[in-house]
Amino acid sequence: MKLNPQRIIVNAHSALGDTMEYQPFFLMLRTMFPQAEIHCTCNQNTMLLAQLIPGRCDHYSPIWEGFKSQEEFNQRFINCVNHGFSDGKPADLIILLDRRTALIKLALSTGCPHIVTFSYFPALYTPRLHFLPWIPRKKIHEIFHYQHLLKCINSERYHACFDQIDLNEARPHFSDTQNADIYHQVVSDLAGLGYDLKTEQRPLVIINPLSGNSDRYGYNYQHEDYVRLGHELAHAYPELFFVITCFGDHPFCHLPITEPNLKLWQNQGNLTHLLAMISLCALIIVPSTGPAHAADLMGKDVVEMMPDYDCPRWIACGMGQLAARQSKPSVAINKCQYQILLKDWKDTPESYDQHYQEFVQMCHQFIKERTLKLHVKTAH
């Protein structure tokens, strides 16, 4: 296709990790079609990132929040398609960033001339429904799936723009008043923990135990083990400052912390506060979850564990892989070390402990070979 749309609906309704991977897509979409009016139908995750990365879309409608019935949601979506643009005309392109049959059918019911989405098979095909040509989705990083959607819309324009974009512009920043206040609150919190950014020389390492999906599907260590890991690493590397992050009250928050360079940070704000904290770190140790991909988006190093079915789609190095395809990479490339957990990884206490010890050693190795060496270079 060689579409040149003027009024674009983008549906972006996903968890935090996906929403992070959307950001280079939004940057490229705006670069490819600077004259277009873009209306994003979304959830709170996308609204959050819109505050930190403004200027990508002209309108945001959180239609995925608070609807009481499917009929109400359908009407919200149709209203955005038909009446969500300043010239009063309906959308001429709908981009669905996830593959939901009901949503595809709903988009088709609007009469929009072009609809682009993913599919594993050519079901529901009509001349105006453009499925992304089949790609091995489990074999390439998720960040490229959305790039392929853009190529599907206008490959010529995509390639003309790709080398010109600065991927730094896809990253969150905290410069406007509201977000700057959040940033300064996090800086103040760190000072209260003994880490003063004005004078501190030690790199900050975040240990983030919490992950809804990893906990739910059984691919995470016990939260208490992250505290144990924090003590071991803090004792071994006094030249680093470690923070265990937490939202809400959990049993591991009440465990004693004895190392002077290890602290617990209980987030009294919201997700934006955690993102501000990640923006200050050199390394985050985390299960495969939203904060890992937030760190990737912001160019921070990551050590993570992940289920085998999520690899290599969700390794926290998507921005680096994307930048590496530019003739001159526009961002510094972070490093990610990861442990793959198979389905039976914790069937026995011995297996669990073996995997945990391997992860601990992975953290040690990464810190010695990467974090400490970067610290020495920065200090000089």
Side-chain angles (χ1 to χ4, degrees):
M1 290 189 294
K2 286 188 178 181
L3 300 183
N4 186 25
Q6 303 301 306
R7 296 169 301 282
I8 305 172
I9 289 284
V10 180
N11 184 73
H13 171 59
S14 291
L16 180 63
D18 302 75
T19 306
M20 294 295 169
E21 303 299 336
Y22 291 163
Q23 300 314 309
F25 163 89
F26 279 116
L27 174 60
M28 274 297 297
L29 182 67
R30 173 53 73 198
T31 305
M32 290 170 62
F33 306 109
Q35 82 294 339
E37 193 171 353
I38 303 173
H39 191 144
C40 183
T41 56
C42 60
N43 59 14
Q44 290 300 324
N45 286 325
T46 303
M47 293 292 291
L48 168 76
L49 267 294
Q51 295 172 8
L52 297 173
I53 315 173
R56 298 291 166 255
C57 299
D58 301 284
H59 314 283
Y60 291 89
S61 295
I63 65 171
W64 288 92
E65 305 292 337
F67 61 90
K68 297 179 181 178
S69 66
Q70 187 63 47
E71 290 73 18
E72 181 184 347
F73 170 82
N74 291 352
Q75 192 57 54
R76 289 182 181 186
F77 183 82
I78 291 170
N79 284 341
C80 289
V81 172
N82 291 334
H83 308 293
F85 299 92
S86 59
D87 61 6
K89 297 179 180 179
D92 54 9
L93 172 64
I94 297 174
I95 304 173
L96 306 177
L97 292 182
D98 54 12
R99 176 191 166 277
R100 301 169 191 245
T101 301
L103 193 59
I104 293 172
K105 290 180 177 179
L106 180 60
L108 286 169
S109 75
T110 65
C112 180
H114 296 286
I115 302 160
V116 178
T117 190
F118 302 103
S119 183
Y120 301 117
F121 46 86
L124 296 173
Y125 179 80
T126 75
R128 61 193 177 95
L129 175 61
H130 308 281
F131 284 117
L132 176 68
W134 186 84
I135 55 174
R137 296 195 71 191
K138 294 185 178 181
K139 295 185 179 180
I140 64 172
H141 197 278
E142 187 74 6
I143 206 166
F144 292 112
H145 301 160
Y146 311 116
Q147 297 294 308
H148 282 298
L149 276 179
L150 293 168
K151 293 180 188 178
C152 181
I153 295 166
N154 192 319
S155 178
E156 182 177 308
R157 185 165 292 195
Y158 177 88
H159 289 292
C161 293
F162 180 68
D163 275 341
Q164 308 304 316
I165 63 167
D166 180 359
L167 288 171
N168 281 296
E169 296 180 12
R171 289 176 163 166
H173 63 82
F174 299 86
S175 57
D176 67 43
T177 302
Q178 179 182 357
N179 295 321
D181 288 344
I182 291 173
Y183 177 86
H184 291 308
Q185 178 60 56
V186 171
V187 170
S188 177
D189 289 351
L190 282 171
L193 297 177
Y195 188 87
D196 189 343
L197 279 177
K198 295 179 181 178
T199 59
E200 189 62 65
Q201 298 297 315
R202 293 172 293 180
L204 176 65
V205 178
I206 294 173
I207 300 174
N208 185 78
L210 301 178
S211 168
N213 280 343
S214 295
D215 290 342
R216 184 180 304 115
Y217 297 114
Y219 289 92
N220 196 7
Y221 297 111
Q222 296 296 315
H223 297 158
E224 293 78 3
D225 286 329
Y226 285 93
V227 179
R228 181 158 56 115
L229 171 64
H231 277 97
E232 179 172 336
L233 295 178
H235 182 77
Y237 308 104
E239 60 269 65
L240 304 177
F241 191 89
F242 295 83
V243 171
I244 301 173
T245 62
C246 176
F247 185 79
D249 191 30
H250 295 266
F252 76 88
C253 297
H254 305 285
L255 295 175
I257 292 179
T258 56
E259 295 296 330
N261 60 327
L262 175 66
K263 302 294 181 181
L264 174 72
W265 177 64
Q266 287 186 283
N267 186 355
Q268 301 299 318
N270 57 33
L271 187 57
T272 308
H273 292 72
L274 177 58
L275 298 182
M277 178 69 79
I278 293 172
S279 75
L280 297 170
C281 79
L283 167 67
I284 183 169
I285 299 170
V286 63
S288 182
T289 185
H293 303 291
D296 176 20
L297 186 63
M298 290 187 269
K300 306 298 181 178
D301 288 347
V302 179
V303 175
E304 65 176 330
M305 80 288 294
M306 61 168 50
D308 65 308
Y309 61 78
D310 262 355
C311 185
R313 279 181 66 188
W314 285 105
I315 300 169
C317 56
M319 281 287 278
Q321 292 186 47
L322 187 60
R325 295 196 180 189
Q326 294 181 300
S327 56
K328 184 178 180 181
S330 58
V331 296
I333 297 175
N334 70 323
K335 296 293 184 181
C336 177
Q337 188 70 39
Y338 56 94
Q339 177 186 47
I340 299 176
L341 300 176
L342 301 177
K343 189 175 182 179
D344 61 353
W345 75 280
K346 60 174 185 176
D347 281 357
T348 65
E350 292 77 16
S351 177
Y352 177 97
D353 188 62
Q354 178 184 346
H355 283 85
Y356 172 76
Q357 293 301 329
E358 289 173 355
F359 187 71
V360 171
Q361 292 308 308
M362 182 182 296
C363 293
H364 277 286
Q365 181 181 358
F366 190 92
I367 288 172
K368 290 176 182 177
E369 296 181 358
R370 171 75 175 176
T371 310
L372 292 180
K373 289 182 180 179
L374 284 178
H375 173 47
V376 171
K377 290 180 181 179
T378 303
H380 286 80

